[in-house]
Amino acid sequence: MIGGFFYVLATLAVFLFHAQDLVYTSPAVISFTHLFLLGFVMMTIFGAMAQLVPVVLEVGHFGVELFYAIWPLLLIGTLLMVVGFLYSPALLPYGGTVVLISMMIFVGEIFLTIKKVKKLNLVMSSVLISNTFLFFGIIFGLLMALSYAGTISLDISQMLRAHVYSVIGGYIGITIMGLSIVLVPMFTLSHSFSLTPLRISITLMSLGVASVIFSALLNIKVLEYIGYFLSFLALPFYFYIIYIIYKTRPRKENDIYAISMMFAYSAMLVALLLAIVYFLLHKEVFLLASAWVLFFGFFGFMITGHIYKIIPFLVWFERFSPLVGKQKIPMLADMVPYKSSQAQFVFSSIGVVLVTFAILTKSETLLHGGASFLFFGGLAFVRSMLYMINFK
Amino acid sequence: MYTKDELFQAISTVIDPEVGFNLVEMGLIYDASSDDEGNVKVTMTLSTKACPLHQMILQWVKEAVEKLPNVKSVDVEVVWEPEWNITMADDNVKKALGA
Protein backbone atom coordinates (compact mmCIF):
# COMPACT_ATOMS: atom_id res chain seq x y z
CA MET A 1 0.00 0.00 0.00
CA ILE A 2 2.85 2.38 0.87
CA GLY A 3 4.39 1.51 -2.50
CA GLY A 4 1.12 2.56 -4.16
CA PHE A 5 1.21 5.96 -2.48
CA PHE A 6 4.82 6.41 -3.59
CA TYR A 7 3.69 5.58 -7.14
CA VAL A 8 1.28 8.54 -6.97
CA LEU A 9 3.95 10.78 -5.42
CA ALA A 10 6.31 9.81 -8.25
CA THR A 11 3.68 10.89 -10.81
CA LEU A 12 3.47 14.26 -9.04
CA ALA A 13 7.28 14.54 -9.09
CA VAL A 14 7.13 14.41 -12.91
CA PHE A 15 5.50 17.88 -12.76
CA LEU A 16 8.81 19.18 -11.32
CA PHE A 17 10.67 18.31 -14.53
CA HIS A 18 11.55 21.04 -17.01
CA ALA A 19 11.44 19.57 -20.50
CA GLN A 20 13.80 22.20 -21.93
CA ASP A 21 16.73 21.51 -19.62
CA LEU A 22 16.21 17.93 -18.49
CA VAL A 23 19.51 16.29 -17.51
CA TYR A 24 20.09 13.19 -15.41
CA THR A 25 22.14 15.15 -12.87
CA SER A 26 19.37 17.66 -12.13
CA PRO A 27 18.01 17.50 -8.55
CA ALA A 28 14.43 16.98 -9.81
CA VAL A 29 15.49 13.93 -11.84
CA ILE A 30 17.65 12.42 -9.07
CA SER A 31 14.92 13.07 -6.52
CA PHE A 32 12.27 11.47 -8.79
CA THR A 33 14.54 8.48 -9.44
CA HIS A 34 14.93 7.77 -5.72
CA LEU A 35 11.26 8.42 -5.02
CA PHE A 36 10.24 5.96 -7.72
CA LEU A 37 12.93 3.30 -7.21
CA LEU A 38 13.15 3.33 -3.41
CA GLY A 39 9.59 4.32 -2.56
CA PHE A 40 7.67 2.35 -5.17
CA VAL A 41 9.92 -0.32 -6.74
CA MET A 42 11.99 -1.34 -3.69
CA MET A 43 9.14 -0.99 -1.22
CA THR A 44 6.96 -3.23 -3.39
CA ILE A 45 9.74 -5.74 -4.13
CA PHE A 46 10.56 -6.01 -0.41
CA GLY A 47 6.86 -6.54 0.35
CA ALA A 48 6.59 -9.16 -2.38
CA MET A 49 9.78 -10.88 -1.20
CA ALA A 50 8.36 -11.14 2.32
CA GLN A 51 5.57 -13.26 0.80
CA LEU A 52 7.37 -14.93 -2.10
CA VAL A 53 10.67 -16.02 -0.55
CA PRO A 54 9.11 -19.04 1.20
CA VAL A 55 7.45 -20.03 -2.10
CA VAL A 56 10.58 -19.52 -4.20
CA LEU A 57 13.18 -20.87 -1.76
CA GLU A 58 10.87 -23.49 -0.23
CA VAL A 59 12.10 -22.61 3.28
CA GLY A 60 10.66 -20.23 5.87
CA HIS A 61 12.14 -16.77 6.48
CA PHE A 62 15.05 -16.49 8.90
CA GLY A 63 13.16 -13.68 10.64
CA VAL A 64 10.05 -12.44 8.85
CA GLU A 65 9.38 -10.01 11.72
CA LEU A 66 12.46 -8.05 10.57
CA PHE A 67 10.32 -6.72 7.71
CA TYR A 68 8.42 -4.63 10.28
CA ALA A 69 11.69 -2.73 10.82
CA ILE A 70 12.67 -2.64 7.15
CA TRP A 71 9.58 -0.79 5.84
CA PRO A 72 9.50 2.18 8.28
CA LEU A 73 13.25 2.66 7.91
CA LEU A 74 13.01 2.56 4.12
CA LEU A 75 10.07 4.97 4.25
CA ILE A 76 11.91 7.50 6.46
CA GLY A 77 15.20 7.14 4.56
CA THR A 78 13.51 7.58 1.19
CA LEU A 79 11.66 10.72 2.27
CA LEU A 80 14.87 12.22 3.71
CA MET A 81 16.75 11.49 0.49
CA VAL A 82 14.00 12.84 -1.77
CA VAL A 83 13.76 16.08 0.21
CA GLY A 84 17.57 16.18 0.49
CA PHE A 85 18.08 16.02 -3.27
CA LEU A 86 15.50 18.75 -3.86
CA TYR A 87 16.16 21.19 -1.05
CA SER A 88 18.89 20.21 1.41
CA PRO A 89 21.90 18.03 0.51
CA ALA A 90 22.84 17.96 4.21
CA LEU A 91 19.97 15.51 4.73
CA LEU A 92 21.42 13.02 2.25
CA PRO A 93 23.89 11.22 4.54
CA TYR A 94 21.13 10.78 7.13
CA GLY A 95 18.64 9.54 4.55
CA GLY A 96 21.31 7.37 2.93
CA THR A 97 22.29 5.85 6.27
CA VAL A 98 18.69 5.04 7.21
CA VAL A 99 18.13 3.46 3.76
CA LEU A 100 21.43 1.61 4.16
CA ILE A 101 20.37 0.17 7.54
CA SER A 102 16.99 -0.84 6.12
CA MET A 103 18.53 -2.56 3.12
CA MET A 104 21.28 -4.19 5.14
CA ILE A 105 18.63 -5.76 7.36
CA PHE A 106 16.81 -6.91 4.23
CA VAL A 107 19.94 -8.31 2.56
CA GLY A 108 21.03 -9.95 5.83
CA GLU A 109 17.61 -11.54 6.31
CA ILE A 110 17.59 -12.87 2.74
CA PHE A 111 21.18 -14.23 3.03
CA LEU A 112 20.35 -15.98 6.31
CA THR A 113 17.17 -17.40 4.76
CA ILE A 114 19.12 -18.68 1.73
CA LYS A 115 21.58 -20.29 4.16
CA LYS A 116 18.74 -22.61 5.20
CA VAL A 117 18.37 -23.87 1.63
CA LYS A 118 20.08 -27.23 1.10
CA LYS A 119 20.50 -27.06 -2.67
CA LEU A 120 20.30 -23.91 -4.75
CA ASN A 121 18.28 -23.97 -7.97
CA LEU A 122 18.47 -21.28 -10.65
CA VAL A 123 15.78 -19.06 -9.13
CA MET A 124 17.34 -19.29 -5.67
CA SER A 125 20.74 -18.45 -7.17
CA SER A 126 19.23 -15.40 -8.85
CA VAL A 127 17.95 -14.20 -5.44
CA LEU A 128 21.45 -14.69 -3.98
CA ILE A 129 23.18 -12.88 -6.86
CA SER A 130 20.71 -9.98 -6.95
CA ASN A 131 20.99 -9.39 -3.20
CA THR A 132 24.79 -9.41 -3.41
CA PHE A 133 24.58 -6.64 -6.02
CA LEU A 134 22.13 -4.78 -3.80
CA PHE A 135 24.63 -4.97 -0.94
CA PHE A 136 27.34 -3.34 -3.05
CA GLY A 137 24.90 -0.93 -4.70
CA ILE A 138 23.85 0.60 -1.40
CA ILE A 139 27.47 0.93 -0.24
CA PHE A 140 28.26 2.87 -3.43
CA GLY A 141 25.10 4.92 -2.90
CA LEU A 142 26.07 5.85 0.63
CA LEU A 143 29.57 6.87 -0.50
CA MET A 144 27.93 9.10 -3.11
CA ALA A 145 25.57 10.59 -0.54
CA LEU A 146 28.54 11.39 1.72
CA SER A 147 30.36 12.96 -1.21
CA TYR A 148 27.25 14.88 -2.33
CA ALA A 149 26.96 16.36 1.16
CA GLY A 150 30.67 17.25 1.20
CA THR A 151 31.64 14.78 3.94
CA ILE A 152 34.10 12.87 1.77
CA SER A 153 35.64 13.55 -1.62
CA LEU A 154 35.37 11.16 -4.57
CA ASP A 155 34.49 11.10 -8.26
CA ILE A 156 30.69 11.00 -8.13
CA SER A 157 30.20 10.28 -11.86
CA GLN A 158 32.43 7.21 -11.60
CA MET A 159 30.67 5.94 -8.50
CA LEU A 160 27.29 6.72 -10.08
CA ARG A 161 27.84 4.07 -12.77
CA ALA A 162 28.67 1.43 -10.16
CA HIS A 163 25.67 2.47 -8.02
CA VAL A 164 23.12 2.61 -10.86
CA TYR A 165 24.29 -0.60 -12.49
CA SER A 166 24.44 -2.55 -9.20
CA VAL A 167 20.98 -1.51 -8.12
CA ILE A 168 19.06 -1.35 -11.42
CA GLY A 169 20.82 -4.03 -13.48
CA GLY A 170 22.13 -6.18 -10.66
CA TYR A 171 19.36 -6.07 -8.09
CA ILE A 172 16.11 -5.02 -9.77
CA GLY A 173 17.00 -6.61 -13.13
CA ILE A 174 18.11 -9.99 -11.84
CA THR A 175 15.32 -10.09 -9.24
CA ILE A 176 12.75 -9.52 -12.00
CA MET A 177 14.42 -12.13 -14.22
CA GLY A 178 14.46 -14.76 -11.48
CA LEU A 179 11.03 -14.13 -9.99
CA SER A 180 9.23 -13.65 -13.29
CA ILE A 181 10.18 -17.21 -14.23
CA VAL A 182 8.24 -18.34 -11.17
CA LEU A 183 5.35 -15.87 -11.36
CA VAL A 184 4.61 -15.57 -15.09
CA PRO A 185 4.26 -19.35 -15.63
CA MET A 186 2.25 -19.58 -12.39
CA PHE A 187 -0.30 -17.05 -13.61
CA THR A 188 -0.36 -18.22 -17.22
CA LEU A 189 -0.23 -21.97 -16.31
CA SER A 190 2.74 -22.52 -18.65
CA HIS A 191 4.85 -25.65 -18.35
CA SER A 192 7.70 -27.66 -19.77
CA PHE A 193 10.06 -24.97 -21.02
CA SER A 194 13.82 -25.12 -20.73
CA LEU A 195 15.49 -22.79 -18.22
CA THR A 196 18.74 -22.71 -20.21
CA PRO A 197 18.05 -19.30 -21.82
CA LEU A 198 17.42 -17.84 -18.35
CA ARG A 199 20.63 -19.40 -17.04
CA ILE A 200 22.58 -17.79 -19.88
CA SER A 201 20.77 -14.49 -19.43
CA ILE A 202 21.42 -14.25 -15.67
CA THR A 203 25.07 -15.26 -16.14
CA LEU A 204 25.61 -12.61 -18.84
CA MET A 205 23.80 -9.95 -16.83
CA SER A 206 25.81 -10.76 -13.68
CA LEU A 207 29.10 -10.61 -15.58
CA GLY A 208 27.97 -7.39 -17.27
CA VAL A 209 27.08 -5.68 -14.00
CA ALA A 210 30.32 -6.89 -12.34
CA SER A 211 32.29 -5.61 -15.31
CA VAL A 212 30.72 -2.12 -15.12
CA ILE A 213 31.34 -2.00 -11.35
CA PHE A 214 35.02 -2.94 -11.80
CA SER A 215 35.38 -0.42 -14.63
CA ALA A 216 34.11 2.31 -12.30
CA LEU A 217 36.26 1.28 -9.34
CA LEU A 218 39.45 0.62 -11.31
CA ASN A 219 38.82 3.30 -13.94
CA ILE A 220 39.28 0.87 -16.86
CA LYS A 221 37.11 2.16 -19.69
CA VAL A 222 37.17 -1.01 -21.79
CA LEU A 223 35.54 -3.00 -18.95
CA GLU A 224 32.62 -0.56 -18.99
CA TYR A 225 31.87 -1.27 -22.67
CA ILE A 226 32.32 -5.00 -22.16
CA GLY A 227 29.81 -4.72 -19.29
CA TYR A 228 27.26 -2.86 -21.42
CA PHE A 229 27.71 -5.38 -24.23
CA LEU A 230 27.21 -8.38 -21.92
CA SER A 231 24.10 -6.77 -20.36
CA PHE A 232 22.58 -6.10 -23.78
CA LEU A 233 23.41 -9.65 -24.81
CA ALA A 234 21.60 -10.98 -21.71
CA LEU A 235 18.28 -9.43 -22.70
CA PRO A 236 17.48 -11.39 -25.91
CA PHE A 237 17.90 -14.62 -23.94
CA TYR A 238 15.48 -13.34 -21.29
CA PHE A 239 13.02 -12.17 -23.94
CA TYR A 240 13.28 -15.54 -25.65
CA ILE A 241 12.21 -17.47 -22.54
CA ILE A 242 9.35 -15.02 -21.87
CA TYR A 243 8.29 -15.40 -25.52
CA ILE A 244 8.27 -19.21 -25.14
CA ILE A 245 6.21 -18.97 -21.94
CA TYR A 246 3.68 -16.67 -23.61
CA LYS A 247 3.55 -18.72 -26.79
CA THR A 248 2.86 -21.95 -24.92
CA ARG A 249 0.61 -20.50 -22.22
CA PRO A 250 -2.69 -22.34 -21.83
CA ARG A 251 -4.28 -19.29 -20.21
CA LYS A 252 -4.83 -16.93 -23.10
CA GLU A 253 -7.44 -14.57 -21.60
CA ASN A 254 -6.25 -10.96 -21.68
CA ASP A 255 -7.00 -9.85 -18.14
CA ILE A 256 -5.39 -6.80 -16.52
CA TYR A 257 -2.37 -8.90 -15.56
CA ALA A 258 -1.77 -10.13 -19.10
CA ILE A 259 -2.10 -6.70 -20.73
CA SER A 260 0.11 -5.11 -18.07
CA MET A 261 2.80 -7.71 -18.78
CA MET A 262 2.51 -7.14 -22.53
CA PHE A 263 2.91 -3.39 -22.02
CA ALA A 264 5.84 -3.90 -19.64
CA TYR A 265 7.79 -6.14 -22.02
CA SER A 266 7.03 -3.86 -24.98
CA ALA A 267 8.30 -0.93 -22.91
CA MET A 268 11.49 -2.82 -22.13
CA LEU A 269 12.10 -3.35 -25.84
CA VAL A 270 11.54 0.37 -26.51
CA ALA A 271 13.90 1.27 -23.62
CA LEU A 272 16.52 -1.01 -25.15
CA LEU A 273 16.16 0.59 -28.58
CA LEU A 274 16.42 4.08 -27.09
CA ALA A 275 19.56 3.03 -25.19
CA ILE A 276 21.11 1.74 -28.44
CA VAL A 277 20.28 5.06 -30.14
CA TYR A 278 21.97 6.85 -27.23
CA PHE A 279 25.15 4.82 -27.67
CA LEU A 280 25.14 5.56 -31.40
CA LEU A 281 24.34 9.29 -31.23
CA HIS A 282 25.58 10.20 -27.71
CA LYS A 283 22.59 12.49 -27.12
CA GLU A 284 21.57 12.47 -23.47
CA VAL A 285 17.91 12.92 -24.34
CA PHE A 286 17.79 9.31 -25.59
CA LEU A 287 19.39 8.03 -22.37
CA LEU A 288 16.80 9.93 -20.33
CA ALA A 289 13.94 8.64 -22.48
CA SER A 290 15.31 5.10 -22.22
CA ALA A 291 15.55 5.32 -18.43
CA TRP A 292 12.05 6.82 -18.26
CA VAL A 293 10.50 4.02 -20.36
CA LEU A 294 12.42 1.43 -18.35
CA PHE A 295 11.23 2.91 -15.03
CA PHE A 296 7.56 3.80 -15.58
CA GLY A 297 6.95 1.56 -18.58
CA PHE A 298 8.74 -1.65 -17.63
CA PHE A 299 9.20 -1.61 -13.84
CA GLY A 300 5.92 0.27 -13.32
CA PHE A 301 3.67 -2.04 -15.33
CA MET A 302 5.56 -5.17 -14.29
CA ILE A 303 4.84 -4.29 -10.64
CA THR A 304 1.28 -2.96 -10.99
CA GLY A 305 0.35 -6.00 -13.12
CA HIS A 306 1.60 -8.40 -10.46
CA ILE A 307 -0.15 -6.40 -7.71
CA TYR A 308 -3.48 -7.31 -9.37
CA LYS A 309 -2.60 -10.96 -8.78
CA ILE A 310 -0.73 -10.83 -5.49
CA ILE A 311 -3.06 -8.63 -3.37
CA PRO A 312 -6.23 -10.63 -4.18
CA PHE A 313 -4.35 -13.83 -3.36
CA LEU A 314 -3.09 -12.51 0.00
CA VAL A 315 -6.49 -11.13 0.98
CA TRP A 316 -8.25 -14.29 -0.18
CA PHE A 317 -5.78 -16.48 1.71
CA GLU A 318 -6.24 -14.50 4.91
CA ARG A 319 -9.96 -13.78 4.74
CA PHE A 320 -11.65 -16.44 2.65
CA SER A 321 -9.55 -19.60 2.73
CA PRO A 322 -10.86 -20.56 6.21
CA LEU A 323 -14.39 -20.40 4.77
CA VAL A 324 -13.75 -22.90 1.97
CA GLY A 325 -16.42 -25.61 2.04
CA LYS A 326 -18.49 -23.68 4.60
CA GLN A 327 -19.99 -20.92 2.45
CA LYS A 328 -19.82 -19.44 -1.03
CA ILE A 329 -16.59 -17.51 -1.40
CA PRO A 330 -15.26 -15.25 -4.16
CA MET A 331 -12.70 -16.31 -6.76
CA LEU A 332 -9.51 -14.29 -7.04
CA ALA A 333 -10.63 -12.68 -10.31
CA ASP A 334 -13.81 -11.39 -8.59
CA MET A 335 -11.63 -9.34 -6.25
CA VAL A 336 -10.04 -7.20 -8.99
CA PRO A 337 -12.02 -4.01 -9.68
CA TYR A 338 -12.59 -3.98 -13.43
CA LYS A 339 -13.15 -0.26 -14.06
CA SER A 340 -10.38 1.21 -11.91
CA SER A 341 -7.83 -1.39 -13.02
CA GLN A 342 -8.65 -0.65 -16.68
CA ALA A 343 -8.58 3.10 -15.98
CA GLN A 344 -5.17 2.71 -14.35
CA PHE A 345 -3.84 0.85 -17.36
CA VAL A 346 -5.22 3.30 -19.92
CA PHE A 347 -4.22 6.52 -18.09
CA SER A 348 -0.78 5.24 -17.07
CA SER A 349 0.09 3.86 -20.51
CA ILE A 350 -0.94 7.11 -22.24
CA GLY A 351 1.08 9.01 -19.62
CA VAL A 352 4.20 6.91 -20.23
CA VAL A 353 3.98 7.46 -24.00
CA LEU A 354 3.32 11.22 -23.70
CA VAL A 355 6.20 11.80 -21.28
CA THR A 356 8.53 9.78 -23.52
CA PHE A 357 7.69 12.06 -26.46
CA ALA A 358 7.96 15.09 -24.15
CA ILE A 359 11.51 14.10 -23.20
CA LEU A 360 12.50 13.47 -26.83
CA THR A 361 10.93 16.67 -28.17
CA LYS A 362 11.57 18.81 -25.06
CA SER A 363 7.88 19.74 -25.01
CA GLU A 364 6.66 21.24 -21.75
CA THR A 365 3.02 20.82 -22.81
CA LEU A 366 3.39 17.12 -23.55
CA LEU A 367 5.26 16.69 -20.27
CA HIS A 368 2.50 18.21 -18.17
CA GLY A 369 -0.17 16.39 -20.18
CA GLY A 370 1.64 13.08 -19.65
CA ALA A 371 2.17 13.78 -15.96
CA SER A 372 -1.57 14.49 -15.59
CA PHE A 373 -2.46 11.14 -17.19
CA LEU A 374 0.06 9.40 -14.95
CA PHE A 375 -1.36 11.09 -11.87
CA PHE A 376 -4.92 9.94 -12.63
CA GLY A 377 -3.55 6.48 -13.45
CA GLY A 378 -1.82 6.49 -10.06
CA LEU A 379 -5.04 7.45 -8.28
CA ALA A 380 -6.90 4.63 -10.07
CA PHE A 381 -4.14 2.25 -8.98
CA VAL A 382 -4.47 3.27 -5.32
CA ARG A 383 -8.25 2.97 -5.62
CA SER A 384 -7.82 -0.57 -7.02
CA MET A 385 -5.46 -1.49 -4.18
CA LEU A 386 -7.88 -0.18 -1.54
CA TYR A 387 -10.76 -2.09 -3.18
CA MET A 388 -8.79 -5.35 -3.20
CA ILE A 389 -7.46 -4.93 0.35
CA ASN A 390 -10.91 -4.13 1.75
CA PHE A 391 -12.78 -6.77 -0.29
CA LYS A 392 -15.39 -8.51 1.88
CA MET B 1 -15.85 -49.43 -1.15
CA TYR B 2 -16.12 -46.27 -3.28
CA THR B 3 -15.69 -46.22 -7.02
CA LYS B 4 -13.32 -43.87 -8.75
CA ASP B 5 -16.29 -41.85 -10.06
CA GLU B 6 -17.75 -41.47 -6.57
CA LEU B 7 -14.45 -40.26 -5.20
CA PHE B 8 -13.98 -37.88 -8.14
CA GLN B 9 -17.50 -36.58 -7.47
CA ALA B 10 -16.55 -35.80 -3.87
CA ILE B 11 -13.30 -34.10 -4.90
CA SER B 12 -15.11 -32.00 -7.48
CA THR B 13 -16.35 -29.78 -4.63
CA VAL B 14 -12.80 -28.38 -4.35
CA ILE B 15 -12.37 -25.24 -6.46
CA ASP B 16 -9.07 -23.72 -7.61
CA PRO B 17 -9.59 -20.08 -6.53
CA GLU B 18 -7.22 -18.74 -9.19
CA VAL B 19 -8.86 -20.44 -12.17
CA GLY B 20 -12.38 -20.76 -10.78
CA PHE B 21 -12.93 -24.41 -11.77
CA ASN B 22 -12.90 -27.54 -9.66
CA LEU B 23 -9.85 -29.78 -9.53
CA VAL B 24 -11.51 -32.61 -11.46
CA GLU B 25 -12.55 -30.29 -14.33
CA MET B 26 -9.00 -28.94 -14.32
CA GLY B 27 -7.67 -32.46 -14.82
CA LEU B 28 -5.54 -32.26 -11.71
CA ILE B 29 -6.87 -35.48 -10.13
CA TYR B 30 -5.10 -38.41 -11.73
CA ASP B 31 -6.53 -41.31 -9.75
CA ALA B 32 -8.56 -42.17 -6.66
CA SER B 33 -9.26 -45.53 -5.09
CA SER B 34 -10.39 -47.00 -1.80
CA ASP B 35 -10.11 -50.36 -0.06
CA ASP B 36 -12.84 -52.21 1.87
CA GLU B 37 -11.75 -50.71 5.18
CA GLY B 38 -12.31 -47.14 4.04
CA ASN B 39 -8.73 -46.15 3.31
CA VAL B 40 -8.68 -43.81 0.34
CA LYS B 41 -5.69 -43.00 -1.86
CA VAL B 42 -5.80 -39.96 -4.15
CA THR B 43 -3.10 -39.25 -6.73
CA MET B 44 -3.09 -35.73 -8.07
CA THR B 45 -0.92 -32.95 -9.41
CA LEU B 46 -1.00 -29.15 -9.30
CA SER B 47 -1.07 -26.68 -12.16
CA THR B 48 2.29 -25.24 -11.07
CA LYS B 49 5.10 -26.52 -8.86
CA ALA B 50 5.39 -23.18 -7.09
CA CYS B 51 1.71 -23.10 -6.13
CA PRO B 52 1.48 -21.10 -2.87
CA LEU B 53 -1.76 -22.96 -2.03
CA HIS B 54 -0.06 -26.37 -2.32
CA GLN B 55 -0.66 -27.57 1.25
CA MET B 56 -4.07 -25.97 1.47
CA ILE B 57 -5.37 -27.66 -1.69
CA LEU B 58 -4.20 -31.06 -0.40
CA GLN B 59 -6.04 -30.39 2.83
CA TRP B 60 -9.23 -29.43 0.96
CA VAL B 61 -9.07 -32.65 -1.07
CA LYS B 62 -8.58 -34.64 2.11
CA GLU B 63 -11.52 -32.91 3.83
CA ALA B 64 -13.77 -33.36 0.76
CA VAL B 65 -13.17 -37.12 0.76
CA GLU B 66 -13.46 -37.40 4.54
CA LYS B 67 -17.03 -36.10 4.26
CA LEU B 68 -18.01 -39.41 2.64
CA PRO B 69 -19.46 -41.90 5.13
CA ASN B 70 -17.20 -44.64 6.49
CA VAL B 71 -13.96 -43.15 5.19
CA LYS B 72 -11.23 -44.06 7.67
CA SER B 73 -8.14 -42.40 6.20
CA VAL B 74 -7.22 -40.33 3.16
CA ASP B 75 -3.76 -40.33 1.64
CA VAL B 76 -3.22 -37.58 -0.94
CA GLU B 77 -0.11 -37.99 -3.05
CA VAL B 78 1.16 -35.21 -5.34
CA VAL B 79 3.03 -36.34 -8.44
CA TRP B 80 4.75 -34.31 -11.17
CA GLU B 81 4.87 -37.13 -13.73
CA PRO B 82 3.06 -36.75 -16.00
CA GLU B 83 3.21 -32.99 -15.72
CA TRP B 84 -0.16 -31.28 -15.96
CA ASN B 85 -1.06 -29.54 -19.20
CA ILE B 86 -4.20 -27.92 -20.55
CA THR B 87 -5.16 -30.94 -22.67
CA MET B 88 -5.99 -32.71 -19.40
CA ALA B 89 -8.66 -30.12 -18.56
CA ASP B 90 -12.22 -30.45 -19.79
CA ASP B 91 -13.64 -28.31 -22.58
CA ASN B 92 -15.31 -25.76 -20.25
CA VAL B 93 -11.95 -24.96 -18.65
CA LYS B 94 -10.18 -24.74 -22.00
CA LYS B 95 -12.86 -22.41 -23.32
CA ALA B 96 -12.82 -20.16 -20.22
CA LEU B 97 -9.03 -19.85 -20.33
CA GLY B 98 -9.06 -19.11 -24.04
CA ALA B 99 -6.93 -22.17 -24.79
Side-chain angles (χ1 to χ4, degrees):
Chain A
M1 198 65 233
I2 299 170
F5 285 116
F6 269 109
Y7 184 79
V8 177
L9 281 179
T11 65
L12 289 173
V14 178
F15 284 102
L16 299 176
F17 291 175
H18 296 289
Q20 296 296 330
D21 53 353
L22 206 57
V23 287
Y24 71 84
T25 47
S26 76
V29 171
I30 302 175
S31 178
F32 162 82
T33 304
H34 285 80
L35 184 66
F36 185 78
L37 288 183
L38 289 176
F40 172 59
V41 177
M42 291 294 192
M43 191 75 81
T44 318
I45 288 181
F46 286 3
M49 292 301 265
Q51 295 293 336
L52 291 174
V53 159
V55 176
V56 173
L57 302 186
E58 295 169 9
V59 293
H61 276 286
F62 167 79
V64 74
E65 58 282 353
L66 288 170
F67 281 86
Y68 290 106
I70 291 167
W71 290 315
L73 288 171
L74 185 57
L75 175 70
I76 294 164
T78 302
L79 291 174
L80 283 172
M81 290 190 80
V82 167
V83 175
F85 279 121
L86 281 177
Y87 308 110
S88 172
L91 288 176
L92 290 175
Y94 300 106
T97 305
V98 178
V99 169
L100 177 85
I101 293 167
S102 157
M103 292 196 172
M104 284 297 182
I105 298 171
F106 174 78
V107 170
E109 202 283 333
I110 296 291
F111 281 155
L112 289 166
T113 303
I114 292 175
K115 212 177 155 193
K116 291 163 70 179
V117 175
K118 289 193 179 80
K119 192 168 180 259
L120 287 179
N121 62 25
L122 180 60
V123 178
M124 295 170 190
S125 303
S126 73
V127 174
L128 183 63
I129 294 168
S130 65
N131 279 274
T132 306
F133 282 127
L134 178 63
F135 174 80
F136 287 109
I138 48 186
I139 300 277
F140 301 142
L142 183 71
L143 291 175
M144 284 172 61
L146 291 170
S147 175
Y148 208 80
T151 313
I152 60 169
S153 172
L154 52 82
D155 183 351
I156 288 191
S157 66
Q158 217 165 303
M159 198 54 75
L160 178 68
R161 278 205 310 275
H163 174 62
V164 168
Y165 235 68
S166 306
V167 174
I168 297 179
Y171 180 65
I172 301 176
I174 293 177
T175 297
I176 287 177
M177 281 177 173
L179 289 190
S180 60
I181 296 303
V182 175
L183 296 176
V184 177
M186 186 197 294
F187 297 132
T188 56
L189 304 175
S190 298
H191 283 283
S192 308
F193 50 87
S194 164
L195 285 177
T196 305
L198 181 70
R199 192 168 287 113
I200 296 170
S201 182
I202 288 178
T203 306
L204 288 171
M205 183 58 94
S206 306
L207 291 172
V209 174
S211 192
V212 173
I213 293 171
F214 282 120
S215 86
L217 297 180
L218 306 172
N219 204 13
I220 305 172
K221 201 73 182 166
V222 68
L223 276 180
E224 184 186 341
Y225 290 108
I226 291 172
Y228 293 149
F229 177 70
L230 291 173
S231 314
F232 278 127
L233 208 56
L235 297 177
F237 288 97
Y238 177 64
F239 273 117
Y240 176 70
I241 198 166
I242 291 294
Y243 167 73
I244 294 294
I245 292 171
Y246 264 74
K247 199 179 151 203
T248 57
R249 74 191 199 279
R251 188 172 202 167
K252 293 194 180 349
E253 55 181 344
N254 286 326
D255 58 4
I256 185 69
Y257 171 76
I259 59 170
S260 298
M261 290 304 105
M262 285 175 207
F263 188 91
Y265 284 116
S266 306
M268 195 184 176
L269 275 175
V270 173
L272 192 61
L273 289 174
L274 288 165
I276 291 170
V277 174
Y278 165 72
F279 280 111
L280 293 174
L281 302 180
H282 290 286
K283 287 191 175 173
E284 193 182 323
V285 73
F286 289 104
L287 181 65
L288 283 167
S290 172
W292 164 259
V293 177
L294 182 75
F295 282 17
F296 247 94
F298 179 60
F299 295 157
F301 278 83
M302 174 63 73
I303 290 172
T304 54
H306 276 98
I307 291 282
Y308 289 117
K309 287 284 183 190
I310 293 171
I311 292 186
F313 171 75
L314 296 176
V315 173
W316 187 93
F317 190 80
E318 180 74 22
R319 206 166 290 159
F320 299 109
S321 66
L323 303 174
V324 170
K326 294 174 189 155
Q327 65 179 69
K328 189 169 163 42
I329 51 170
M331 294 294 107
L332 297 183
D334 302 334
M335 300 169 70
V336 178
Y338 181 79
K339 282 185 183 169
S340 61
S341 63
Q342 296 291 321
Q344 183 259 318
F345 178 83
V346 171
F347 279 106
S348 301
S349 54
I350 293 173
V352 168
V353 174
L354 287 181
V355 173
T356 308
F357 280 112
I359 293 169
L360 291 172
T361 60
K362 296 185 183 292
S363 163
E364 208 70 27
T365 313
L366 276 180
L367 186 70
H368 287 141
S372 305
F373 273 101
L374 287 173
F375 175 65
F376 286 110
L379 290 183
F381 180 56
V382 169
R383 196 262 171 195
S384 298
M385 288 179 90
L386 288 170
Y387 179 90
M388 293 185 287
I389 288 169
N390 295 314
F391 193 92
K392 288 194 173 88
Chain B
M1 186 182 185
Y2 285 104
T3 64
K4 183 175 169 178
D5 283 348
E6 286 170 329
L7 292 169
F8 270 47
Q9 184 67 36
I11 298 168
S12 68
T13 55
V14 180
I15 309 286
D16 180 328
E18 167 64 21
V19 183
F21 286 92
N22 73 56
L23 304 188
V24 176
E25 289 175 297
M26 289 278 294
L28 296 170
I29 309 299
Y30 287 168
D31 196 16
S33 59
S34 70
D35 61 20
D36 292 338
E37 289 164 7
N39 301 305
V40 176
K41 169 89 188 278
V42 178
T43 308
M44 64 174 289
T45 192
L46 295 166
S47 57
T48 172
K49 282 184 182 171
C51 180
L53 286 175
H54 185 134
Q55 290 305 326
M56 197 163 265
I57 288 175
L58 304 197
Q59 186 58 33
W60 294 338
V61 171
K62 198 165 180 268
E63 286 171 4
V65 177
E66 280 172 347
K67 281 182 186 162
L68 293 170
N70 304 320
V71 167
K72 206 166 106 189
S73 73
V74 183
D75 175 23
V76 184
E77 187 191 3
V78 177
V79 295
W80 302 109
E81 282 290 333
E83 200 169 25
W84 178 85
N85 65 70
I86 193 68
T87 60
M88 296 172 179
D90 76 16
D91 288 344
N92 287 337
V93 178
K94 288 179 194 159
K95 196 175 162 192
L97 296 180

